[in-house]
Amino acid sequence: MLKAIFLDMDETLCATSVADKQALATLKHYVQSQFPTLNADIFCQRYIAGVYKQLNDEFPQLVALLDNELLFRQTLVQTLFAQQQLTITFDQAVTIQASFDDGRMAGFDFFPHVKAMLACLRQQYKLVVITNGPVFSQRPKLAATAMADHVDYIIVGGEEPEEKPALSIFQKALELVGCQPNEAIHMGDSLAADIAGANGAGIASVWVDTGKASDHDKLSQNTPTYIVQQPQQLLDIINQHIG
């Protein structure tokens, strides 16, 4: 019998990519107004890549700062300015980085119909959000959406010994709701984190297909139990699963 639903947050319940676009627009406007000689487009492209740790090989000196996500991002700002031969103070980097965060939180919200779906599911099942990422970025997102009002438990990977796809984080979710792996289902957009993790824990997996060709190339490596294009389709999947 199905007892619990485990859910990823970013790009599963919430439109993170939409918030990122708004954040980058806010960031670009700010740096253009304050630093007219800066190539703002290149800076913004590089900054968001750095935020998602895609520049770690290029900037190994920043990797040592990853235990402090805020300091990592502020130093990333200074480093990217220096690449354009512009020197800024640390206080200026703090303000620049904050403009991105402010824009992001202003635009961070659930996908359409998701709150209604959660309310419906919660009438019958325990709901657990399992989100990877540092406390610095994930806790503000959870606060912006009042996530705690919509689910029973929240697990932030950055607060745990291991993140998804580690078995330990799924075991913690199972313990919180008091159920066995065959009594839960997990939905997320990441094949490597969500689907591989759920499959490894013996939990039925639902993949949110965001349309990336690179993801489709990897489906054979981490095959989900179910596939949806929109998160609210989970309601139909559950009916199919328990039927």
Side-chain angles (χ1 to χ4, degrees):
M1 183 175 73
L2 188 64
K3 295 181 179 179
I5 313 295
F6 302 159
L7 302 151
D8 175 52
M9 177 170 65
D10 293 298
E11 292 301 277
T12 298
L13 298 181
C14 301
T16 309
S17 58
V18 174
D20 282 349
K21 289 178 182 178
Q22 180 165 323
L24 286 172
T26 302
L27 178 64
K28 180 179 177 180
H29 179 267
Y30 180 78
V31 295
Q32 278 183 326
S33 67
Q34 298 298 312
F35 307 94
T37 61
L38 179 79
N39 186 320
D41 286 324
I42 290 177
F43 169 75
C44 289
Q45 291 167 9
R46 301 273 285 161
Y47 178 76
I48 194 66
V51 164
Y52 283 106
K53 311 303 182 283
Q54 296 167 5
L55 304 182
N56 284 3
D57 290 341
E58 184 176 345
F59 301 129
Q61 73 275 19
L62 297 185
V63 175
L65 304 177
L66 284 176
D67 286 342
N68 185 333
E69 183 71 20
L70 179 58
L71 180 60
F72 169 84
R73 295 188 187 191
Q74 292 162 342
T75 308
L76 173 66
V77 169
Q78 281 189 303
T79 302
L80 295 177
F81 265 70
Q83 282 200 321
Q84 295 195 38
Q85 288 73 53
L86 290 171
T87 301
I88 59 172
T89 67
F90 186 74
D91 285 344
Q92 287 176 309
V94 168
T95 303
I96 293 166
Q97 192 278 327
S99 73
F100 175 84
D101 283 348
D102 291 344
R104 196 184 205 193
M105 288 305 99
F108 194 79
D109 202 357
F110 289 104
F111 282 115
H113 313 299
V114 164
K115 283 196 285 188
M117 177 190 75
L118 294 176
C120 179
L121 290 174
R122 206 175 182 192
Q123 294 177 21
Q124 292 182 270
Y125 309 106
K126 292 292 185 181
L127 304 185
V128 184
V129 163
I130 311 174
T131 176
N132 277 2
V135 176
F136 165 78
S137 61
Q138 300 310 89
R139 282 296 172 186
K141 293 176 187 175
L142 293 164
T145 54
M147 187 68 74
D149 293 340
H150 302 284
V151 302
D152 298 289
Y153 300 99
I154 296 169
I155 302 174
V156 177
E159 296 174 344
E160 300 298 321
E162 300 175 291
E163 294 191 314
K164 295 178 293 185
L167 178 61
S168 62
I169 202 164
F170 288 94
Q171 288 176 327
K172 177 172 181 175
L174 290 169
E175 290 169 4
L176 284 172
V177 296
C179 71
Q180 299 300 311
N182 65 347
E183 296 174 321
I185 193 168
H186 175 72
M187 180 172 74
D189 70 296
S190 171
L191 290 171
D194 295 298
I195 304 309
N199 290 351
I203 297 169
S205 56
V206 182
W207 179 49
V208 181
D209 179 6
T210 58
K212 296 178 184 176
S214 58
D215 282 341
H216 285 259
D217 294 339
K218 299 173 184 174
L219 266 174
S220 61
Q221 300 171 31
N222 296 300
T223 305
T225 312
Y226 305 100
I227 299 176
V228 297
Q229 278 71 48
Q230 303 292 334
Q232 63 268 26
Q233 292 176 305
L234 178 61
L235 294 171
D236 295 329
I237 293 298
I238 289 173
N239 288 333
Q240 178 182 343
H241 184 70
I242 63 178

